[in-house]
Amino acid sequence: GDPLRLRGRVIPRAKGLRVERQMKVDATWKVMATDTTSKKGRYSFRIKKAVPAGASYTYRIVVYQGDQVIGTSPERTVVIRKGKR
């Protein structure tokens, strides 16, 4: 359940695009966080704490130029495991 960072880059590189980290909740996509791309097209999200161990979360990234969706990542599922401490 430790924090993790989700990073990526939009290609072609573009500054100022809105990027959403979405999570599937009861078969519906919910916006969990937003970021804006850097001049190199990079974005980053920090997921503070994903609990409990054994839970799974499905995420995707959606990129907007203005109000128009210009890209969507494949769905990715993260399974939380117990940290080593």
Side-chain angles (χ1 to χ4, degrees):
D2 292 337
L4 61 99
R5 185 156 306 272
L6 176 65
R7 299 177 192 170
R9 184 175 58 178
V10 175
I11 299 173
R13 299 173 183 176
K15 181 180 179 179
L17 300 176
R18 187 176 85 229
V19 181
E20 293 180 348
R21 177 177 57 90
Q22 298 181 355
M23 184 171 77
K24 195 177 266 187
V25 179
D26 297 325
T28 302
W29 289 106
K30 179 179 177 183
V31 176
M32 302 305 291
T34 60
D35 194 15
T36 304
T37 55
S38 69
K39 70 180 182 178
K40 293 184 178 182
R42 297 186 186 279
Y43 60 87
S44 178
F45 295 104
R46 183 173 187 267
I47 301 173
K48 293 181 182 179
K49 192 171 185 180
V51 291
S56 66
Y57 301 92
T58 301
Y59 294 106
R60 72 176 180 182
I61 300 297
V62 180
V63 182
Y64 294 84
Q65 187 170 37
D67 291 332
Q68 183 177 358
V69 173
I70 61 169
T72 304
S73 74
E75 296 179 17
R76 299 287 186 222
T77 300
V78 175
V79 178
I80 308 307
R81 60 183 186 178
K82 189 174 182 177
K84 297 178 183 179
R85 290 189 187 221

